[in-house]
Amino acid sequence: MILSMTGYGKASAEFQGKKITAEVKSLNSKALDLSTRIASVYREKEMEVRAMLTQSLERGKVEFCLWVEQLDHVNAGLINGELVSAYYCQMEEISQRYGIPAPADYWQTLMRMPDVLSRSETQQELSEEEWQVARDVVQNAIGQLMTFRQQEGEALQKKFEEKLDNIAALLAGIEPYEKMRVEKIRQRITEGLASIPEVQYDRNRLEQEMIYYIEKLDINEEKQRLANHLDYFRKTMDEGHGQGKKLGFIAQEMGREINTTGSKSNLAEMQNLVVKMKDELEQIKEQVLNVM
């Protein structure tokens, strides 16, 4: 079963009057593009957090945030008023200068800015018990994202199966036109020669030239290779996650065979089917970018 690179996860837990929250979201990317925002109290564990994310997520543009809110007002930190004012003035200035809409809730935004809440040195120290709770929160958020990726992957695989079936049906639809195409070529050449009665020609040589011409337009090899690529795409999906790049390569090869078939199809009905196959393949190529 394939996995999608798109996902979202969020988890929270309480510890001694604090609410610890982790949020992680991911989009498609050629490699792992990881950005993190971690509360200062947990910053010493950033490398461990990155290792957890890297090991589980593998690929994707990943944004991770870990923050803590004080629930116990007795032990709450002091708000740095001067810093809040400075942040507010900067946000107002940027909003007016660049025409960016101001936040709907300034207070909530400002309270998440760095160093707005000041705490004593003892409050800033991270205990092993608190980190274990925070670590579990991070792991739970990652687990939720992975579940989301799996669900999205199932939907993608179902979509791919549908598109592959459509291409296979269109490919089979070409066959009835192939004999018709050969006969039309033969008829067109014969009628052309008949319209010029004074021309003398060797019938044996004519047959040889027609056979050569028809062989050049033969698409049996392209049809067989395309059918093989369709089967290989299905088998690769069943191999599990981490096959996104491979599926992309297979889709490219499918495109080659479809394009060659189109260039050899000098019959309008066959070319119409080729156009439909290209449309189905383009939808596969768009979605395969989201596969792990």
Side-chain angles (χ1 to χ4, degrees):
M1 179 64 68
I2 60 175
L3 294 179
S4 170
M5 275 189 280
T6 302
Y8 177 80
K10 185 176 182 180
S12 299
E14 294 184 12
F15 177 80
Q16 296 182 356
K18 301 176 182 178
K19 183 180 180 182
I20 304 168
T21 304
E23 183 182 58
V24 58
K25 55 184 177 181
S26 68
L27 298 171
N28 62 305
S29 178
K30 290 183 178 180
L32 180 63
D33 181 6
L34 175 61
S35 63
T36 60
R37 291 179 59 193
I38 299 176
S40 57
V41 66
Y42 305 125
R43 204 157 289 157
E44 64 186 82
K45 301 293 187 179
E46 181 172 357
M47 296 308 296
E48 184 175 346
V49 171
R50 282 181 168 270
M52 293 167 64
L53 293 165
T54 301
Q55 182 178 3
S56 298
L57 304 185
E58 298 180 31
R59 282 181 68 199
K61 181 177 175 60
V62 179
E63 295 181 9
F64 173 81
C65 188
L66 176 64
W67 71 92
V68 60
E69 299 170 271
Q70 196 74 40
L71 301 178
D72 186 352
H73 298 289
V74 175
N75 295 324
L78 299 175
I79 298 175
N80 189 330
E82 293 182 0
L83 191 57
V84 169
S85 177
Y87 279 135
Y88 176 80
C89 291
Q90 289 182 53
M91 292 169 71
E92 279 284 290
E93 180 184 351
I94 292 172
S95 177
Q96 293 175 10
R97 179 181 299 177
Y98 299 105
I100 301 173
D105 186 347
Y106 261 114
W107 186 248
Q108 184 178 6
T109 303
L110 290 169
M111 286 301 97
R112 290 190 178 183
M113 301 301 284
D115 302 322
V116 165
L117 288 176
S118 59
R119 298 180 176 83
S120 65
E121 289 301 317
T122 56
Q123 286 176 310
Q124 289 289 345
E125 292 179 0
L126 177 62
S127 67
E128 188 60 34
E129 292 80 5
E130 180 177 350
W131 171 240
Q132 188 56 53
V133 173
R135 193 179 189 282
D136 290 342
V137 168
V138 173
Q139 196 63 59
N140 289 338
I142 293 173
Q144 287 189 19
L145 182 141
M146 293 302 295
T147 300
F148 193 110
R149 280 183 163 187
Q150 184 176 358
Q151 292 170 348
E152 287 291 302
E154 290 174 357
L156 277 177
Q157 183 155 348
K158 185 177 179 181
K159 191 72 173 178
F160 288 147
E161 293 284 359
E162 176 187 331
K163 297 302 173 185
L164 294 172
D165 289 343
N166 291 344
I167 293 174
L170 290 166
L171 182 60
I174 286 178
E175 187 172 350
Y177 296 108
E178 289 187 80
K179 293 181 180 179
M180 182 192 306
R181 180 183 60 157
V182 172
E183 186 55 39
K184 282 192 174 184
I185 293 171
R186 186 187 302 275
Q187 184 178 354
R188 187 168 64 244
I189 295 174
T190 303
E191 289 176 354
L193 290 171
S195 66
I196 314 174
E198 66 274 10
V199 173
Q200 299 291 327
Y201 61 89
D202 185 337
R203 288 188 174 276
N204 290 331
R205 181 61 185 272
L206 174 62
E207 288 295 328
Q208 292 175 5
E209 292 295 332
M210 289 182 66
I211 291 171
Y212 173 75
Y213 182 58
I214 292 169
E215 284 179 347
K216 283 187 65 176
L217 297 179
D218 182 71
I219 58 171
N220 284 321
E221 288 187 13
E222 287 76 11
K223 287 168 54 183
Q224 185 59 53
R225 285 196 292 263
L226 180 55
N228 291 340
H229 293 327
L230 294 174
D231 290 339
Y232 192 30
F233 197 100
R234 296 180 197 274
K235 291 176 182 177
T236 302
M237 286 195 296
D238 292 334
E239 289 177 3
H241 73 276
Q243 303 295 332
K245 292 181 180 179
K246 189 174 180 181
L247 291 174
F249 295 145
I250 299 171
Q252 287 180 6
E253 293 304 312
M254 289 163 59
R256 292 179 194 275
E257 304 306 332
I258 293 174
N259 288 333
T260 304
T261 300
S263 67
K264 289 185 176 183
S265 299
N266 58 348
L267 194 67
E269 292 85 353
M270 291 177 65
Q271 290 172 341
N272 290 340
L273 293 174
V274 167
V275 169
K276 291 178 181 179
M277 282 194 283
K278 287 183 177 181
D279 181 50
E280 299 290 340
L281 181 60
E282 280 305 309
Q283 295 180 57
I284 290 177
K285 286 182 176 180
E286 288 175 8
Q287 294 300 323
V288 85
L289 296 175
N290 293 321
V291 178
M292 280 283 291

